[in-house]
Amino acid sequence: MPSALAATALESSSVVGPDVVALAPATLAGVGVGLTDALAWISIGAFMIALLCQWRGATDPARRIGAVAWLLFGIFWLTMVPYYYYEMQSPLQTVLSLAALPLCAYTGYLLVGGRESLLILTKAVAFMGLIYLPAETIPVFRTWLIETTAAQTHYGMELLGYSPGLSEGAYGYESRFDFDPDETVTGRTTYIILACTGIGSMAIFGGLVAAVSAPLKRKATAFAAAIGIIWFLNLARNVFIGLASPWGWFQQDWLVSFMTTYMGAEASRVSFLVAHNYIAQSLSVIALVGITYLVVRIVPEVLAPLEEVLYILSGSEYDLFEALGKEEYRPEGEGVDTGPTAD
């Protein structure tokens, strides 16, 4: 669950795909991708049914259906493991996707066991899916996002004095930076994929803001601020990795030796992997924390689903509203259950 959300965020901030990638196993073939998309839509559909039941006052069915939705959501992330491990070669994303299934299953267990407060987190994930899945599964949206991001990234490169041009990249999109392999250090280039558009991180904050009850003006302000920052930082990462890969900014001999010997990397991909999997992803975590802080300042009500995330991760109750002096924003009737008290 929280790992699943983190994996989505990291995927969206993974900025560029390598120009040449190793073939992944059959789970990444057309049938596997179709299964993954189907699991995503089914799980989000189940989340929405659970919320409909809650809205109609049927709390017990809402909890049971929500538990099934969480389990399906965890299985969805499990199907993403081969992609992260074989194609993206990202240890962090692989571990997060593996951790998602037990965490999602545990969330479902808590829901069935009576933790009704988890329905607000269920609502947040449902809205995240409604924002993200159309871009993932509807071709016209996906094409527009990828090609627009590629054009904006190319403009960013031009501002730094590079103008490689764009050509057809993976899956037929005009998204490949057309560097001349005879002129660059590594002979490689990169292309934009959906994960480069920032849509995953945008979906996370959009879902959190949409799930809580707060004045529309504050919610719109928080959403606009989060989207604007994510767009700018994601564009900067696109430019950084898009230049680091062909021009070999991290092709130092000692680093190439380490990555090829201990990490199984191709020598020509070292600069890409260092820039993409280590520098960009580490910075994305810091950026997500900062954006979360900003959103909480504008819409403190999002602390409610964040408290549920902390409970699932730690098994302990946290009162973030009290800790941050935001008690007046706590949803009516909700609070931290500290257990029975002695007379």
Side-chain angles (χ1 to χ4, degrees), residues 147-157 231 235 239:
E147 293 189 346
T148 299
T149 302
Q152 292 174 345
T153 302
H154 189 270
Y155 178 72
M157 291 180 176
W231 171 82
L235 181 61
V239 173

Side-chain angles (χ1 to χ4, degrees), residues 16-42:
V16 278
D19 183 42
V20 181
V21 295
L23 292 178
T27 50
L28 295 182
V31 174
V33 172
L35 173 63
T36 298
D37 286 348
L39 278 170
W41 277 113
I42 292 170

